Amino acid sequence: MTTSTARVLALLEILQGSGLHTVPDLAVRLGVDERTVRRYVGHLLELGVPVDSVRGRHGGYRLAPGYRMPPLMLTDEEALAVLLGLLTGRRAGLVTTSAAANESATAKLRRVLPKALGRRLDALLETADFTARPRPTTTPAPEAHVLLELAEAARHQRPVTLNYTDRKGRSTDRTVLPYGLVAHSGRWYLTAAAPAAPADTAGPAGPTAPAASASAAGEEIRTFRLDRITSLTVQPGSFTVPPDFDPVTTLLDGLAQTPWTHEVSLRIHADAQHIRRHLPAGIASLTVIPDGGGDGGADWDAGAPDAAQRADTGRQPRPDGSNGPATADDHTTGDDHTTEWVHVRMRAERLDWIPPVLAALDRPFVIERPTALRDLVRALARRLDEHATADAPAHPPM
């Protein structure tokens, strides 16, 4: 590639960055004079690239609005980042398009890459594997336009009217103030201020949060699943998001308090960080019990250093009963130093996933409620004892 050709491509790269660029600025960035810049622009025009020329004191060059070049000039790292983003987004269930759209986008990108780089990426996709299984496809992904319109409304702080279907199948129209969007556990959620729900309704469909806070005007912070929003309309007006509002913390705290079938209350003698490895935020709320034994301690999560860290839950047990295996890093021995009793509160649709988690914690615990959980723990202990004491078969299966 000649030096002049490389600089023409560099000029195109700069112009694709959006905005108006003056000729003197382009000359400095390319290391050429202003006359050469104009010649390079002419080369781009000959190639069919629509470069607009803006005259005047503050004029310069820019690409025509809406013009997009295909990704022909991706470096190896850039191409890898794009393809892995498409792949992991699909596996996590966060892609707001059909599987066919994701596959076609990957194929289009693959076609315009150099052959050598394409072969390397094909080899990676064929040989790489993930510790987490792909998300089930039974839950529909939200429409792309819903996600994008809500993002724009939240950014510009515009109210929106949603048509929303709750967990009981009831469809309602409600006007909310969109505060933020959160991707969690394979779903997209909207955190928003909304009028307080009537007394006979528990709020929007789950898993969604009860009121996290209320304003003097009778509004409360609620969460909405995007896949249950069928339509939305941006309304005139504006609002102000509270300066200390954290969408991630609001969502996770709300999910931990979702009104499922069972309310679980435990006391565990363990370090709160060790418990949190097995029962992440969004599933359980933790309160450190004072030395006196009362339950007036501080919310351990309130001191969490980083809300984003709390969102990184991976494949952990969820209130619907599904769960993922603990990693080697999650396992600690009984010799670890424990300094406190922690009150753990959870709400769950099923209880059968909780005994294995308590066993994995490997710490003393007390089940306060429900009584049915004690029976499940005893049953698991009996099964483990039977497995540990059973005679080995003459020829163990291979």
Side-chain angles (χ1 to χ4, degrees), residues 29-51:
R29 296 179 66 176
L30 295 173
V32 298
D33 56 37
E34 296 182 11
R35 182 178 179 181
T36 304
V37 169
R38 296 187 177 91
R39 188 171 71 250
Y40 289 167
V41 170
H43 292 332
L44 291 177
L45 291 171
E46 291 174 359
L47 293 172
V49 179
V51 181

Side-chain angles (χ1 to χ4, degrees), residues 149-171:
E149 288 188 40
L150 282 175
E152 190 171 19
R155 180 181 183 184
H156 298 292
Q157 299 180 350
R158 302 294 186 190
V160 296
T161 298
L162 310 174
N163 182 267
Y164 192 80
T165 303
D166 66 16
R167 64 187 299 182
K168 296 181 179 180
R170 298 173 299 194
S171 180

Side-chain angles (χ1 to χ4, degrees), residues 67-223:
Y67 178 77
R68 293 291 184 273
M69 281 289 291
L72 296 173
M73 296 179 292
L74 293 177
T75 65
D76 288 15
E77 290 185 353
E78 291 168 342
L80 178 62
V82 173
L83 284 181
L84 287 181
L86 288 169
L87 179 61
T88 55
R90 183 174 73 242
R91 292 180 66 91
L94 298 178
V95 178
T96 59
T97 58
S98 65
N102 187 280
E103 294 291 345
S104 64
T106 303
K108 288 179 181 179
L109 176 62
R110 174 64 183 82
R111 283 198 301 270
V112 298
L113 293 176
K115 291 183 179 180
L117 176 56
R119 286 195 300 268
R120 290 182 175 181
L121 292 175
D122 287 344
L124 173 65
L125 297 179
E126 290 177 7
T127 58
D129 205 348
F130 293 79
T131 57
R133 297 177 181 176
R135 294 282 303 180
T137 57
T138 54
T139 300
E143 295 291 339
H145 73 89
V146 170
L147 177 62
L148 296 177
E149 288 188 40
L150 282 175
E152 190 171 19
R155 180 181 183 184
H156 298 292
Q157 299 180 350
R158 302 294 186 190
V160 296
T161 298
L162 310 174
N163 182 267
Y164 192 80
T165 303
D166 66 16
R167 64 187 299 182
K168 296 181 179 180
R170 298 173 299 194
S171 180
T172 57
D173 292 327
R174 57 190 81 190
T175 299
V176 302
L177 310 180
Y179 281 5
L181 295 163
V182 180
H184 171 68
S185 191
R187 292 190 177 104
W188 282 99
Y189 293 88
L190 168 70
T191 56
D200 60 343
T201 61
T208 54
S213 62
S215 68
E219 293 177 340
E220 57 190 17
I221 307 302
R222 308 193 71 84
T223 61

